[in-house]
Amino acid sequence: MPETVAETSDVEVLVDPASHTKVKGSRRPTLLMYSPPGLKEPSVPEDEPVKYGELIVLGYNGSLPGGERGRRKSRFSLFKRPKANGVKPSTVHVTATPQAVKAVSSKDQHSISYTLSRNHTVVVEYTHNPDTDMFQVGRSTESPIDYVVMDTVPGSSVGEDVQVAQSTISRFACRIVCERGLPYTARIFAAGFDTSKNIFLGEKAAKWKNPDGQMDGLTTNGILVMHPRGGFTEESWPGVWREISVCGNVYTLRETRSAQQRGKLVEAESNVLQDGSLIDLCGATLLWRTAEGLLHTPTTRHLEALRQEINAARPQCPVGLNTLAFPSLRPRTGLGPGVEEKQPWAYLRCGHVHGHHEWGYRGPRAGVEGGVAGVSSGICSPPRECPMCRTVGPYVPLWLGCEAGFYLDAGAPTHGFTPCGHVSSEKTARYWAQIPLPHGTHAFHTACPFCATQLTGENGFVRLIFQGPID
C-alpha cells in the first residue's frame, strides 16, 4: 500500500539528545513518514494485492544473521491469494472404516486424525472453503509450509547463523486462516497439514471430545498466543498467555508445555489475531501486525531520518570530546567488523553515553579482546566505572533498533535495552520490558525484541544521557 507523504518543515529542526532543545539547521528534502492516525489513506489500486498482515520473528533486527533465504526470513507478508485455499471441517469418520482410510491416504483430501487407541481413531475430513486463505508456519522446508521458522538463539542476530542441537518447534507448527472479505479477519490454529494434507494426533497427544461431540486436541509443545490489551499502541499493556487448540479454541496454559492435561476452556476469548498479538512456537516467538496497524508504524525510512537527526546534533564523548555517530541501519553479519570508530557506547547502569575507550575496568577482562568482542550482549562485558558518576556496570556499544515493526511510536531513540544496548523510543522500550515471553517448557522472561537477549537491571532498559557539543 502506498505510503502517505507527510510534509516536513523546509528548515530542519534538530533535537539535542542531551538537552532536548531544538536547533535550526540547513534545508532538507521532504521525507516519507509513517501515516498519522486519522489521516485518510489514498485509495488502493484495484490491481494492488490485499495484504492481510505480517509475521515478524522476535530476536532479529531487520534480517536473519545469515541473510534472508526463500521462505526463511525475519518477516513474512500474508497477501490475498489469487485462488482461495482454505478448508473447513465436514464429515467425521470413526475407527478404521473404508471412508476413514481413504480420507487419510488421499493426498487430495485434507483431514485431521485423532488416535484414541489402537482400535479407535476419529478422522475429520476437511473440504474446500472458498471464503478463506490458509497460511502454514513451521520448521519444515517442505512445500505445505509457507513460512519456515527456526529456533531463535538469543544474541544470534549479531553473529553467525546459529543452529540449535535439537529444535523444539514443530515441523508443521500452526496455520493462520484469513477471511478473503472485509474486515479480513485472521485466526490461528495449532498444527499444520503435512505433505499428505493430514494432521495426525497420536495416542500420547492431548485430545478430547467436546460437549458438542466434536474432537479437538493440542500439539506436543503447544502454540501459545498473547493479545495485548488496548491494541498495539502507545497505551498498550500485556495480555494473558493462552494456548490455542487444533480447532482454534482458547485454553489456559498447561502446567508444562508438553503436559497431557489440557488447561481450562476460556470461552470469553477467541483465536482471532489482533494487531500486536504474539505467537509462541516453543523456540521462536512471532509478532502479528495487521496491514492497518503497519500504516501507523514508523517506516525504516523514518528510523533512518531519526538516526540522521541525532547524528546531526553532534553528540560528544564527555571525556574524549570526540563526536559520536550511530552507524547506518544496514543489517550486521558480525560484531567485530560492525563496531565503528565513532559509534556511541553507554554505561548501562547510569545511561551516560561515551565513545569507545579502554579505562575504568573494575573486574576481570576475560573473554574480551580490545574491549570489543563479546560486549554487544552485555553479558560478557566486564564491569566498568563511569567517569561521569562513578557508577560501575556493563559498558556496551549502542545499536539502533532497525525492525520498524517492533516500534509502538515514532519517538526519538532515547532509551537502550539492558544488557544488549539496542536503542529505541521510550514507549517502545517500556512496552517490551513488561512483556513476559515464553522461555523453555515452563518459564517466562522479558527480552529485547531486536536480539531476544534476556533483559536485566531494575527496568530492563535505561534512559541514555548524551553530551552535546561544547561549541
Side-chain angles (χ1 to χ4, degrees):
M1 180 171 289
E3 295 172 302
T4 299
V5 178
E7 294 271 341
T8 59
S9 174
D10 287 340
V11 178
E12 184 175 21
V13 178
L14 305 177
V15 178
D16 186 334
S19 61
H20 299 284
T21 58
K22 295 182 178 180
V23 183
K24 288 189 176 181
S26 60
R27 293 178 179 272
R28 65 178 178 182
T30 299
L31 296 175
L32 285 175
M33 309 290 274
Y34 76 111
S35 303
L39 187 62
K40 186 177 181 180
E41 289 295 318
S43 58
V44 180
E46 293 184 0
D47 57 348
E48 181 94 3
V50 173
K51 186 175 186 177
Y52 297 129
E54 286 188 3
L55 291 170
I56 310 174
V57 186
L58 266 60
Y60 300 105
N61 196 17
S63 67
L64 297 181
E68 311 283 87
R69 299 190 297 271
R71 289 172 292 154
R72 190 188 174 201
K73 42 196 172 184
S74 63
R75 62 193 300 164
F76 173 69
S77 298
L78 284 68
F79 290 97
K80 186 175 183 179
R81 298 183 184 275
K83 184 179 180 180
N85 72 332
V87 293
K88 55 185 177 181
S90 59
T91 310
V92 178
H93 304 280
V94 182
T95 315
T97 63
Q99 294 91 340
V101 174
K102 182 179 179 181
V104 175
S105 61
S106 175
K107 292 187 177 181
D108 296 325
Q109 179 72 57
H110 286 84
S111 66
I112 300 181
S113 175
Y114 303 87
T115 303
L116 304 179
S117 66
R118 290 186 177 182
N119 301 318
H120 189 188
T121 299
V122 177
V123 179
V124 180
E125 289 187 8
Y126 278 67
T127 59
H128 176 65
N129 185 350
D131 300 323
T132 61
D133 286 334
M134 181 172 63
F135 303 87
Q136 300 205 139
V137 181
R139 176 171 49 89
S140 174
T141 57
E142 296 180 52
S143 58
I145 295 298
D146 298 285
Y147 187 28
V148 179
V149 178
M150 306 299 287
D151 297 71
T152 299
V153 179
S156 63
S157 63
V158 300
E160 297 299 324
D161 197 357
V162 181
Q163 299 290 337
V164 297
Q166 185 174 1
S167 176
T168 51
I169 299 176
S170 172
R171 295 175 63 245
F172 302 91
C174 67
R175 59 197 192 277
I176 295 175
V177 178
C178 302
E179 294 181 1
R180 291 172 62 85
L182 290 171
Y184 306 121
T185 302
R187 293 180 171 84
I188 184 170
F189 301 81
F193 295 98
D194 60 19
T195 51
S196 300
K197 297 185 177 181
N198 303 134
I199 294 175
F200 293 92
L201 294 181
E203 288 188 54
K204 296 183 179 180
K207 69 190 80 66
W208 60 90
K209 181 179 291 187
N210 290 321
D212 59 3
Q214 295 189 4
M215 294 296 301
D216 202 353
L218 305 173
T219 56
T220 302
N221 289 326
I223 298 298
L224 308 187
V225 171
M226 191 274 284
H227 305 302
R229 304 291 174 85
F232 194 66
T233 66
E234 302 172 16
E235 308 301 327
S236 299
W237 69 96
V240 179
W241 282 97
R242 304 296 193 192
E243 181 163 10
I244 303 298
S245 71
V246 172
C247 293
N249 292 311
V250 182
Y251 292 86
T252 58
L253 303 187
R254 290 177 273 181
E255 290 188 6
T256 61
R257 292 294 287 258
S258 58
Q260 293 290 309
Q261 183 63 38
R262 72 178 187 271
K264 296 181 179 179
L265 177 66
V266 185
E267 297 186 37
E269 300 180 19
S270 74
N271 63 337
V272 174
L273 294 177
Q274 307 168 13
D275 189 36
S277 291
L278 291 172
I279 305 167
D280 188 78
L281 308 181
C282 193
T285 305
L286 312 179
L287 171 67
W288 168 257
R289 296 303 312 273
T290 62
E292 182 180 359
L294 289 171
L295 290 177
H296 308 306
T297 297
T299 63
T300 302
R301 187 177 286 107
H302 179 66
L303 298 181
E304 172 62 19
L306 291 176
R307 184 189 74 86
Q308 293 180 11
E309 288 190 358
I310 198 170
N311 287 348
R314 296 173 55 213
Q316 287 188 345
C317 174
V319 177
L321 299 182
N322 53 305
T323 301
L324 307 177
F326 279 99
S328 67
L329 299 182
R330 66 181 183 275
R332 293 182 298 139
T333 57
L335 175 61
V339 178
E340 299 184 3
E341 182 180 358
K342 294 184 177 181
Q343 185 159 346
W345 289 58
Y347 290 89
L348 295 182
R349 287 198 62 190
C350 60
H352 283 111
V353 178
H354 290 251
H356 178 247
H357 55 72
E358 289 295 338
W359 62 75
Y361 285 95
R362 291 297 180 268
R365 299 176 62 174
V368 179
E369 299 179 2
V372 173
V375 295
S376 179
S377 67
I379 299 174
C380 301
S381 177
R384 303 277 287 271
E385 182 182 86
C386 174
M388 300 296 290
C389 64
R390 302 299 182 185
T391 301
V392 177
Y395 176 66
V396 302
L398 300 177
W399 304 95
L400 286 176
C402 301
E403 179 49 71
F406 295 152
Y407 282 77
L408 271 76
D409 68 339
T414 56
H415 286 63
F417 288 101
T418 59
C420 59
H422 281 105
V423 181
S424 71
S425 66
E426 178 181 3
K427 291 182 178 179
T428 297
R430 289 187 180 278
Y431 176 78
W432 289 106
Q434 62 178 343
I435 298 293
L437 298 174
H439 177 68
T441 58
H442 60 275
F444 290 82
H445 66 218
T446 57
C448 170
F450 302 105
C451 67
T453 299
Q454 182 175 354
L455 299 182
T456 60
E458 182 179 354
N459 299 315
F461 62 89
V462 63
R463 184 178 69 85
L464 300 175
I465 305 174
F466 290 85
Q467 171 72 44
I470 59 175
D471 57 359

